[in-house]
Amino acid sequence: MHEVSGPAEVRARLEKTGYLVDDGLAVACFLALRLHRPLFCEGDAGVGKTALASALAEAMDAPLIRLQCYEGIDASQALYDWDFPRQLLHLRAAEAAGVTDADRLEGELYDRRFLVTRPLLRALETQPSVLLVDEIDRADDEFEAFLLELLSEYTITIPELGTLRAQLPPVVVLTSNRTREVHDALKRRCLYHWFDHPGFARELAIVRRRLPRVTERLAEQVTALAQALRAEDLVKPPGVAETIDWAEALDALGASEVDAELAVATLGSVLKYREDAERARGLDLSAILAARET
Amino acid sequence: MGRRRAVDASAVVVGFARALRAAGVDASPDRVQAFLGALDVLDPGARSDVYWAGRLTLCGSQDDLERYERVFAAYFGGRPGGVPARSAPPPRTRTVLRGAGTVPRPAARAEDAVPVAVLADSTDVLRHRDFAELTADERDQLRRLRAAFTLRGEARRTARRHPARRGAVDPRRTVRELLRGGGEPARLRHRARADRPRRVVLLVDVSGSMGPYADALLRFAHAALHGPRTGGAARGTRTEVFTIGTRLTRVTRELAHRDPDTAMAALAAAVPDWRGGTRLGEMLRGFLDRWGRRGMARGAVVVVLSDGWERGDPALLAEQMRRLHRLAHRVIWANPRKARPGYAPLAGGMAAALPSVDAFVEGHSPAALERLAAVVRGADS
């Protein structure tokens, strides 16, 4: 898929995997593939930032390698580490066998088989691959600086083994929830895409695509309700992921259509804050559903 | 692309980037380079592709999108087809009508007025003066004084471990040492978690009733942002500054200029609503929805610098303060009116907020701000 002709082809391929993209995202993915630039994704939770990485991997028929960031993550957890216990064991065994050639021993100790590869190194060594760096904003700036270096060159140097260079750089997707501002230098390396909540038609298409079993009527109603809830002033507006969860929950209950009562009973799958649920109960859900009918 | 066409395109792009920079988008040369690279692989005839290529390469945050939108429309005329009419949602704070009543300015009272001559060079006395009645010279003096202020959040342990003289054994370094010595037992190496100051978030009220103080408090915020760097520990725990008035504005970036006057000028341009009325509850909700809940306020020391004149519903303010209190490590409220004799926090807003405030301090003079800095560092109020 690295040899894509244009945004239209990228879109078609992603749609085959069930991930629907708009113009902007099609251009973004195309540029990420063609220019080998990481794609930096921001937007509310549940709008499909992480799902994009899996869809890209599927479309390219490449493995998805995921690195979940957290505070305190460092190179030994993200890039590589040595398997010390096994090295020690090897050393003891060599001693017992009476090996005295120090140089040879050292060479053996830092052999490839004692290297523990972590996601970043795996992504550089696997070609092609899609690397998802999830929630980069949770990592600290030391890690950001380290990542920036890696993403500019796609090479890494392991002192005992030498330099590794990715022949074909992995497709990199970074996501951020903006718990803090990521450094400009890192953003400059990337293409920046802001994910919006989709409009009614596209959201309905996504729900239908992801849940073919659900009746068309139910999908339409749930989408309409989700859109209406998003227009409210909620603490946490539902993302597409929640809409899908909701439709799935209703389907599991055996519903082929939804009324206000059922919607309220299943609100827990869409709204995760007490204040939001209360607000939604105060809405005239039947009116929203009735408005769809006309 | 023919040579001639390429030259034209570059000229247009460079002009476009300049217009963007003027609008406040960080369209740096390397970004422009990326934009040109993107145009190269896209169909140059498709306007929507040009639009998206520019947006993807030249913008770096959600705030940039609205400006990009505007400049693109001005530069290339209208919006390209296929682009949704609102690609960047406006911040979810609703603007309150301006001039919907103003807060009465409390008259400066005679007993506060100290003859200026006495103060000419006595910074110590100056430190306890009220900002509201300082001359330009005194302000100048204060500016220098305030440069000595730093705001560092209370320390907390980080998750990242560093080599240390004591603490848990660091297996990685210990074994490395062992291997280096050919397996001979060597010295144990230790590692421990480092301490880092917590993030500090300042919410500065710039509404009408704060008129005499807002400028001084924002300068204080600037000083806080640029305190002497104390090695690596302070990096990454940036102080964040917002102004609250009729709108919520994030001004961290404007205050990043080292020179205070440049920073204040940038800030004046960025803040649209000096001297309006304010609805603290609504602003606070905007802050929590857009920034706070995502993590900016989580575990942070949040300082509200406001006199607590709430023109909206105190119940909303109380609710949002409770939300803030659940997220933040500590909530500190600095109120410039607190020092006035006879002040009691009875006004609707202040009374509603107080139950969720960990420390209620003064904010009317440099000494009070020094005190505030100490409270932020973790001193008891």
Side-chain angles (χ1 to χ4, degrees), chain A residues 49-223:
Chain A
K49 305 189 290 288
T50 304
L52 171 67
S54 4
L56 274 170
E58 197 182 328
M60 290 169 55
D61 196 17
L64 173 69
I65 297 167
R66 179 158 183 257
L67 175 71
Q68 171 65 51
C69 296
Y70 51 88
E71 201 205 344
I73 190 172
D74 63 20
S76 70
Q77 291 141 345
L79 193 55
Y80 72 92
D81 206 352
W82 289 103
D83 190 346
F84 293 119
R86 286 187 56 215
Q87 283 177 312
L88 274 182
L89 217 56
H90 181 76
L91 194 65
R92 288 272 174 255
E95 272 179 2
V99 177
T100 48
D101 184 352
D103 282 353
R104 204 191 94 196
L105 196 57
E106 195 180 348
E108 280 175 8
L109 274 183
Y110 290 108
D111 187 77
R112 206 34 235 250
R113 65 198 156 129
F114 296 118
L115 190 74
V116 185
T117 52
R118 304 277 192 217
L120 291 179
L121 180 58
R122 248 202 331 276
L124 287 184
E125 290 188 322
T126 317
Q127 283 148 21
S129 65
V130 176
L131 169 66
L132 167 64
V133 181
D134 218 357
E135 302 184 320
I136 174 72
D137 51 320
R138 286 198 192 183
D140 48 22
D141 33 353
E142 287 93 336
F143 185 73
E144 234 173 76
F146 159 80
L147 197 64
L148 173 64
E149 196 180 352
L150 191 93
L151 295 180
S152 347
E153 302 297 326
Y154 297 111
T155 58
I156 89 124
T157 302
I158 300 174
E160 298 86 354
L161 288 180
T163 302
L164 285 163
R165 170 181 295 279
Q167 293 306 315
L168 179 66
V171 176
V172 185
V173 176
L174 299 109
T175 73
S176 157
N177 287 330
R178 298 207 304 179
T179 58
R180 63 184 185 87
E181 282 293 307
V182 172
H183 214 280
D184 275 348
L186 181 63
K187 279 187 169 177
R188 277 186 196 152
R189 269 295 307 148
C190 305
L191 299 160
Y192 174 84
H193 188 65
W194 170 262
F195 280 63
D196 257 341
H197 289 289
F200 177 82
R202 208 159 70 81
E203 185 168 23
L204 177 62
I206 293 170
V207 173
R208 298 280 298 149
R209 201 58 183 269
R210 291 288 304 275
L211 304 170
R213 292 193 37 224
V214 171
T215 62
E216 183 156 3
R217 183 169 163 74
L218 181 66
E220 272 185 18
Q221 288 178 315
V222 170
T223 307

Side-chain angles (χ1 to χ4, degrees), chain B residues 43 82 94 119 147 151 270 328 340 343 358 365:
Chain B
D43 171 13
R94 277 185 301 278
L119 301 172
L151 206 53
R340 303 202 176 227
Y343 173 84
D358 296 311
S365 70

Side-chain angles (χ1 to χ4, degrees), chain B residues 41-54:
Chain B
V41 296
L42 286 163
D43 171 13
R47 289 175 48 93
S48 98
D49 281 6
V50 174
Y51 167 89
W52 282 109

Side-chain angles (χ1 to χ4, degrees), chain B residues 220-381:
Chain B
F220 166 72
H222 179 265
L225 222 58
H226 293 280
R229 291 258 173 258
T230 40
R235 279 185 316 123
T237 43
R238 294 260 311 277
T239 301
E240 290 279 351
V241 188
F242 293 80
T243 58
I244 40 186
T246 48
R247 293 183 47 185
L248 174 84
T249 318
R250 178 164 178 253
V251 293
T252 312
R253 198 168 275 223
E254 281 74 15
L255 287 175
H257 291 289
R258 274 230 157 265
D259 174 52
D261 294 321
T262 317
M264 294 309 280
L267 193 135
V271 177
D273 51 0
W274 297 88
R275 317 273 182 267
T278 183
R279 304 198 172 196
L280 292 169
E282 230 165 85
M283 297 301 115
L284 209 51
R285 178 169 61 193
F287 166 73
L288 288 167
D289 285 350
R290 210 174 146 190
W291 309 96
R293 201 167 40 82
R294 291 209 176 94
M296 195 178 276
R298 227 177 265 279
V301 178
V302 179
V303 185
V304 183
L305 297 144
S306 165
D307 55 3
W309 276 98
E310 166 66 322
R311 308 217 353 274
D313 179 7
L316 177 66
L317 176 62
E319 186 192 333
Q320 297 308 317
M321 283 301 288
R322 280 197 295 274
R323 262 181 85 193
L324 176 64
H325 200 222
R326 286 200 293 265
L327 281 172
H329 173 68
R330 282 184 95 197
V331 178
I332 299 170
W333 192 298
N335 186 333
R337 304 218 180 280
K338 185 175 183 242
R340 303 202 176 227
Y343 173 84
L346 301 175
M350 203 61 246
L354 268 187
S356 314
V357 170
D358 296 311
F360 185 43
V361 298
E362 301 168 356
H364 65 297
S365 70
L369 290 181
E370 255 175 321
R371 177 93 205 92
L372 169 65
V375 172
V376 169
R377 274 195 295 273
D380 294 329
S381 51

Side-chain angles (χ1 to χ4, degrees), chain B residues 128-280:
Chain B
H128 289 275
R129 289 282 312 291
D130 200 322
F131 292 134
E133 57 232 13
L134 289 177
T135 64
D137 279 357
E138 289 173 329
R139 276 175 196 275
D140 208 47
Q141 214 169 339
L142 274 181
R143 200 174 308 163
R144 285 198 300 281
L145 188 76
R146 257 196 309 269
F149 284 28
T150 54
L151 206 53
R152 294 191 58 193
E154 208 174 319
R156 64 164 181 85
R157 257 178 13 159
T158 57
R160 193 184 272 259
R161 293 186 177 84
H162 294 277
R165 298 189 63 85
R166 45 197 307 189
V169 172
D170 184 345
R172 196 187 156 89
R173 285 171 55 242
T174 303
V175 179
R176 278 221 101 129
E177 195 82 354
L178 253 165
L179 290 171
R180 215 171 282 138
E184 289 305 308
R187 285 181 40 209
L188 283 181
R189 298 283 171 178
H190 300 273
R191 65 185 185 183
R193 294 190 169 181
D195 279 357
R196 250 200 190 175
R198 289 179 181 272
R199 184 203 316 278
V200 180
V201 180
L202 294 172
L203 302 169
V204 185
D205 186 345
V206 294
S207 61
S209 61
M210 289 288 287
Y213 300 102
D215 183 63
L217 291 177
L218 285 167
R219 284 186 181 278
F220 166 72
H222 179 265
L225 222 58
H226 293 280
R229 291 258 173 258
T230 40
R235 279 185 316 123
T237 43
R238 294 260 311 277
T239 301
E240 290 279 351
V241 188
F242 293 80
T243 58
I244 40 186
T246 48
R247 293 183 47 185
L248 174 84
T249 318
R250 178 164 178 253
V251 293
T252 312
R253 198 168 275 223
E254 281 74 15
L255 287 175
H257 291 289
R258 274 230 157 265
D259 174 52
D261 294 321
T262 317
M264 294 309 280
L267 193 135
V271 177
D273 51 0
W274 297 88
R275 317 273 182 267
T278 183
R279 304 198 172 196
L280 292 169

